[in-house]
C-alpha cells in the first residue's frame, strides 16, 4: 500500500526516465501445512493485519471470509491513515492491538529484523506467541490460504485456486496485476507525462480486453469465483471512487462499461466479497495520505455508491459463485462494515 509496498522511482535507461516500480515483499516466508519454512498452519497462532483501504490486503480479507478462516486466523484492522511510524492501531482501545499489544505494525517488523530499512506493508501475518512478522508476501498469502490452510476451511468453502485451472489463471492474473492492479499506481505516481501515458494506455487496454472476455462468461476463469476474480475486483471496486480522479485514470469510469460494471456488482453482492469493502476507509486513505497528489487532503463527497446494490443480471451467463460449495455465513459481529451489502 502507498508509503509501504511502493518504492521510490527507479532508473530507466531509456531517456533517463524514472517510472514507478513496486517493491518485492521482503519477508516471503510461507505458512504451510508441513511447516517447511518453520511456520506450520496452526489455528489461533497467527494474526492477519490489514488495512481495509489497501487493495492488496483486501484480497486476503475476501479469501479469509470465503474460505471460512475467521476462527483459524484472527484479524487486526489498522487505521486507514498512516503516519511516519507506519500503520497504526488507533481503531483499538488505548491505540494498541488487543492481541499483539503493539501500537504500530513496524514493531512486529522490528521483532523479525532489527533495523529493517524497507517499508511496512499490509497485508502482514504476525506470529502471536513471538510477536514477529511472518510474511508480507501479498502475492502468496491468499494462494496459501486456498491450499495450505485447506484442513481448516469451512464446510462448503469454494476452491479459489483449482489445480486444473492454474495455468490459465496464472496468465490472467499476471496481465491483471501488471496492467490493472499495478497499472493504476504507475499512472497515479508517474513523474513524467511519458510514463503516465504508458501506464494509462496499459490500464485501459487491459480493461477493454477484460470487458470483452467477460461479455459471455460470468467469471474470469472457470464457472465459479476464483482467486483471479478477487484480484481484479479489488481494483475495480476502488476505480471510480479513487483511481479515476486521484490517479488520473479517467478515460471512463467502470460504471460506464456495462460489462465490467455488471461484473463488479455481481462480485460486490457475493457474500464474502462485498462485505469486506469499506468505502470510507478507501477514500480517506488515498485522499488524505497521498499529499503529494492531493495536498489539500480534501476527500471527495462522491461518487454515488447506491448503484452497487442494483441488479446485475449476470446469472444468465451460467455458473455460480461457489461452484459446488455454499456461501459463507454472515461476518462476525466485530467485522461487519457499516453500509456494506450484508450489514
Amino acid at each position: 500500500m502507498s508509503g509501504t509496498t511502493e518504492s521510490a522511482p527507479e532508473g530507466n535507461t531509456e531517456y533517463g526516465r524514472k517510472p514507478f516500480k513496486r517493491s518485492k515483499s521482503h519477508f516471503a516466508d510461507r505458512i504451510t501445512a508441513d511447516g517447511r519454512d518453520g511456520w506450520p498452519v496452526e489455528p489461533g497462532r497467527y494474526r492477519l493485519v490489514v488495512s481495509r483501504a489497501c487493495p492488496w490486503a483486501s484480497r486476503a480479507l475476501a479469501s479469509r471470509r470465503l474460505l471460512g478462516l475467521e476462527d483459524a486466523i484472527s484479524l487486526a484492522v489498522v487505521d486507514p491513515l498512516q503516519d511516519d511510524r507506519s500503520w497504526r492501531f488507533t481503531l483499538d482501545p488505548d491505540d494498541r492491538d488487543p492481541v499483539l499489544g503493539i501500537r504500530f505494525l513496524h514493531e512486529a517488523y522490528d521483532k523479525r529484523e532489527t533495523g529493517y530499512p524497507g517499508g511496512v506493508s499490509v497485508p502482514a501475518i504476525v506470529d502471536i506467541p513471538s510477536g514477529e512478522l511472518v510474511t508480507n508476501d501479498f502475492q502468496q498469502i491468499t494462494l496459501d490460504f486456498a491450499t495450505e490452510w485447506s484442513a481448516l476451511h469451512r464446510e462448503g468453502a469454494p476452491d479459489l485456486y483449482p489445480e486444473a485451472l492454474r495455468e490459465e489463471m496464472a496468465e490472467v492474473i499476471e496481465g491483471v496485476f501488471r496492467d490493472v492492479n499495478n497499472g493504476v499506481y504507475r499512472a497515479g505516481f508517474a513523474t513524467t507525462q511519458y510514463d503516465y501515458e504508458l501506464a494509462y494506455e496499459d490500464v485501459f487496454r487491459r480493461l477493454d480486453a477484460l470487458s470483452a472476455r467477460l461479455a459471455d462468461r460470468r467469471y474470469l476463469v472457470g464457472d465459479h469465483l476464483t482467486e483471479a476474480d478477487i484480484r481484479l475486483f479489488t481494483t475495480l471496486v476502488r476505480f471510480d471512487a479513487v483511481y479515476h480522479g486521484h490517479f488520473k485514470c479517467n478515460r471512463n469510469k467502470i460504471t460506464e462499461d456495462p460489462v465490467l460494471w455488471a461484473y463488479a456488482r455481481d462480485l460486490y453482492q457475493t457474500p464474502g466479497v462485498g462485505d469486506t469493502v469499506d468505502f470510507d476507509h478507501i477514500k480517506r486513505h488515498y485522499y488524505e495520505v497521498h499529499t503529494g497528489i492531493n495536498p489539500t487532503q480534501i476527500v471527495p463527497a462522491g461518487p454515488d455508491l447506491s448503484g452497487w446494490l442494483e441488479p446485475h443480471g449476470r446469472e444468465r451467463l451460467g455458473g455460480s459463485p461457489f461452484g459446488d460449495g455454499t456461501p459463507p455465513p454472515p461476518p462476525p459481529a466485530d467485522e461487519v462494515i457499516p453500509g456494506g451489502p450484508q450489514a
Side-chain angles (χ1 to χ4, degrees), residues 150-212:
S150 59
L152 299 175
H153 289 179
R154 65 178 176 86
E155 185 177 356
D159 186 353
L160 297 178
Y161 195 43
E163 189 167 0
L165 300 176
R166 289 179 190 176
E167 185 175 348
E168 182 181 1
M169 286 180 66
E171 182 179 354
V172 172
I173 284 172
E174 171 58 27
V176 167
F177 172 77
R178 183 183 61 248
D179 298 333
V180 180
N181 300 148
N182 202 46
V184 294
Y185 280 84
R186 288 171 46 224
F189 289 110
T191 56
T192 71
Q193 189 71 30
Y194 174 86
D195 291 319
Y196 161 70
E197 290 182 5
L198 280 182
Y200 176 98
E201 290 167 4
D202 287 343
V203 167
F204 287 102
R205 173 179 50 79
R206 183 65 59 178
L207 288 177
D208 288 345
L210 291 166
S211 182

Side-chain angles (χ1 to χ4, degrees), residues 6-47:
E6 289 102 22
S7 68
E10 296 185 2
N12 183 339
T13 55
E14 184 182 14
Y15 309 120
R17 294 182 173 90
K18 296 181 178 181
F20 166 87
K21 186 176 181 180
R22 183 169 301 281
S23 301
K24 293 182 179 179
S25 299
H26 182 74
F27 301 99
D29 287 5
R30 294 175 60 190
I31 301 170
T32 59
D34 63 7
R36 57 186 177 272
D37 279 4
W39 306 103
V41 169
E42 292 181 17
R45 175 172 174 175
Y46 305 101
R47 191 151 174 84

Side-chain angles (χ1 to χ4, degrees), residues 141-157:
I141 286 172
T142 51
L143 299 183
D144 285 341
F145 279 176
T147 54
E148 300 293 334
W149 291 71
S150 59
L152 299 175
H153 289 179
R154 65 178 176 86
E155 185 177 356

